[in-house]
Amino acid sequence: MHPLSKQPTDPTEAVALTLAYYDTAAEAFRAGTQDHDVSQNIAALLRHVHATPPFTVLDVGCGPGRDLKTFTALGHRAIGLDGSAAFVAMAKADTGCEVWQQNFLALDLPATYFDGVFANASLFHVPSLALPRVLRQLHATLKPGGVLFSSNPRGNNQEGWQGDRYGAYHDLDTWRQQVTQAGFTELEHYYRPEGLPRDQQPWLASVWRATATPSSLFPA
């Protein structure tokens, strides 16, 4: 990982500038990621969902819609969410799925609606100051016992700008603490890509079940 530029910023600025980057680079991003194989991650989410299929899945940070296509092809109802207007337009056009334009700091999600939330390479863009609230909101949009999948580039709990994108790079212990405090119970975790030495596996994937009731996470 390249050194981070630790420019002081607030979460709103971090998210806004990161989304501006993706709006500008949307076509290049689609071309560069459309062939990425994340079938291991999709399978990790789906095998832990205990509902009767088809499942209703929220793809958080869906980008151009690559994984929406996969969920749909597997027979599930997939809804996308992204803060980038360019990505939302692409995803709608390419998949025919419902796609919501929302950024992580302004989520407006239905309560207890989804069987699964799929957050592949997206939640690391949430500044750590905002992460507890975002995780609680994702918990609240899951049905009781619903499943959250996340995959993030791992690090040593550093945070800042890498080029024009803001990222927070957590180690397993810190990530585990954050998600557990939001009311989730860990189901499994693994590192990617498969079959490589750990120092060549930059991605930390983890799967979680929403166990505490959403109301208990929001004191009156």
Side-chain angles (χ1 to χ4, degrees):
M1 180 181 298
H2 299 298
L4 297 179
S5 172
K6 295 181 179 293
Q7 304 170 26
T9 189
D10 61 61
T12 301
E13 179 187 20
V15 170
L17 293 178
T18 300
L19 290 175
Y21 165 83
Y22 281 119
D23 277 333
T24 301
E27 287 290 354
F29 184 88
R30 174 163 60 179
T33 61
Q34 61 185 354
D35 294 327
H36 286 187
D37 180 6
V38 297
S39 56
Q40 180 187 18
N41 296 344
I42 290 171
L45 170 71
L46 295 178
R47 69 170 164 263
H48 288 291
V49 177
H50 290 166
T52 301
F55 308 144
T56 302
V57 176
L58 179 66
D59 185 352
V60 174
C62 66
R66 178 196 64 207
D67 302 330
L68 291 173
K69 290 181 180 179
T70 301
F71 283 115
T72 301
L74 291 171
H76 303 293
R77 181 190 178 215
I79 295 175
L81 182 151
D82 208 285
S84 162
F87 281 160
V88 169
M90 287 178 177
K92 286 181 177 179
D94 289 353
T95 70
C97 293
E98 188 174 351
V99 184
W100 303 337
Q101 186 179 348
Q102 299 181 24
N103 78 52
F104 286 125
L105 303 188
L107 293 175
D108 182 15
L109 303 174
T112 60
Y113 187 78
F114 292 97
D115 298 300
V117 169
F118 187 69
N120 189 76
S122 59
L123 290 179
F124 78 101
H125 286 312
V126 179
S128 58
L129 287 173
L131 183 60
R133 174 165 57 90
V134 171
L135 290 172
R136 290 196 301 268
Q137 290 173 307
L138 296 180
H139 185 291
T141 202
L142 282 165
K143 297 174 184 176
V147 177
L148 167 68
F149 171 88
S150 72
S151 179
N152 299 310
R154 62 190 179 93
N156 296 310
N157 305 312
Q158 66 269 52
E159 183 171 3
W161 292 99
Q162 191 166 25
D164 295 321
R165 291 179 288 180
Y166 195 86
Y169 303 91
H170 307 289
D171 62 17
L172 175 60
D173 288 342
T174 298
W175 184 248
R176 180 180 279 152
Q177 180 181 36
Q178 290 273 16
V179 185
T180 300
Q181 287 177 348
F184 291 92
T185 298
E186 184 177 352
L187 298 171
E188 65 171 297
H189 73 271
Y190 54 90
Y191 297 93
R192 280 177 50 85
E194 289 185 282
L196 296 177
R198 182 59 51 79
D199 62 0
Q200 296 176 39
Q201 293 177 310
W203 292 90
L204 168 62
S206 56
V207 192
W208 308 82
R209 191 171 308 285
T211 49
T213 59
S215 59
S216 71
L217 302 174
F218 296 94

